[in-house]
Amino acid sequence: MAVSDILQLAGQFGPMGLLVAYLIWRERSSEAKRMAYDQARLDADKALAASLGALTAVIQRLDR
């Protein structure tokens, strides 16, 4: 976002326009980082679910 865009937002919409512009910019700039975090979390959750499933199967076979 260029300086002229910021001045235009401030002139047309005031402080609330600047706040909205900042929030949109923040969401767009952190989107790639958030997607990488979500993918890593998804992989970790899948591994945890597989491990818990295997542990459950082992525990159930010990009772027999």
Side-chain angles (χ1 to χ4, degrees):
M1 198 177 268
V3 174
S4 62
D5 295 335
I6 294 171
L7 292 175
Q8 183 180 7
L9 283 171
Q12 289 181 353
F13 302 108
M16 291 307 292
L18 292 176
L19 178 65
V20 170
Y22 168 73
L23 293 174
I24 292 171
W25 171 81
R26 186 182 71 179
E27 287 297 317
R28 286 187 180 175
S29 65
S30 65
E31 184 177 350
K33 188 188 309 182
R34 182 69 184 175
M35 289 298 289
Y37 173 80
D38 288 345
Q39 185 62 41
R41 178 68 189 260
L42 180 64
D43 294 339
D45 288 348
K46 285 180 183 178
L48 180 62
S51 298
L52 289 174
L55 179 61
T56 301
V58 168
I59 290 172
Q60 287 174 350
R61 289 185 185 149
L62 288 177
D63 290 339
R64 293 181 185 180

